[in-house]
Amino acid sequence: MANNLQDAAIALEKAIRESNEYQSLKDSYDKVNADPSAKSMFDNFRNIQIQLQQKQMSGQEITQEEVDQAQKTVALVQQHELISKLMADEQKMSEVITDLNKTIMKPLEDLYGAAE
């Protein structure tokens, strides 16, 4: 039985890689990485995200200055056409993954009942 599940997971991985959403995301990601200015802005944006997430997960308070800096960075990257497209494609892929996760978790939800 476990082999069947693993085979299904491998088939799902392949289907994800072949999906329009993934292909669009990959294309956008490649374009951002091929543009030095976009790559630098995007890397900076990701680093700020990671730093804030790490602080939050470790229970450290995020300062207003850090929030302001993050908001300025988000506004800046959203103005860059390549990065904006990448972020939209990331959102679409995230929606696909969320939908897949709901489907995958359905047997456990049926077993235990939906969280109330």
Side-chain angles (χ1 to χ4, degrees):
M1 182 65 133
N3 259 355
N4 290 342
L5 290 176
Q6 188 60 35
D7 292 343
I10 290 168
L12 181 58
E13 176 196 3
K14 184 177 185 220
I16 289 170
R17 289 181 188 275
E18 293 173 353
S19 71
N20 291 335
E21 294 85 356
Y22 178 82
Q23 291 300 318
S24 183
L25 175 60
K26 184 178 182 321
D27 181 59
S28 292
Y29 184 76
D30 290 345
K31 285 179 180 174
V32 166
N33 280 307
D35 181 304
S37 170
K39 181 174 178 10
S40 177
M41 288 174 81
F42 187 68
D43 288 347
N44 183 48
F45 169 69
R46 286 292 192 204
N47 287 335
I48 289 171
Q49 275 187 317
I50 290 167
Q51 289 171 359
L52 293 179
Q53 286 173 349
Q54 287 174 342
K55 279 188 88 167
Q56 192 174 31
M57 288 178 11
S58 69
Q60 296 178 23
E61 188 174 328
I62 297 172
T63 67
Q64 186 59 44
E65 183 180 325
E66 290 170 321
V67 170
D68 292 344
Q69 179 62 34
Q71 289 173 341
K72 288 177 187 174
T73 303
V74 168
L76 185 63
V77 297
Q78 286 177 334
Q79 292 176 8
H80 196 291
E81 185 179 341
L82 294 176
I83 299 172
S84 180
K85 171 84 167 74
L86 174 60
M87 292 171 78
D89 288 341
E90 285 178 341
Q91 181 61 36
K92 288 177 191 171
M93 193 72 232
S94 178
E95 291 168 8
V96 168
I97 299 298
T98 297
D99 289 345
L100 291 172
N101 191 47
K102 285 179 187 175
T103 302
I104 292 167
M105 296 306 293
K106 184 84 171 98
L108 293 178
E109 191 177 297
D110 290 347
L111 180 65
Y112 291 107
E116 297 177 16

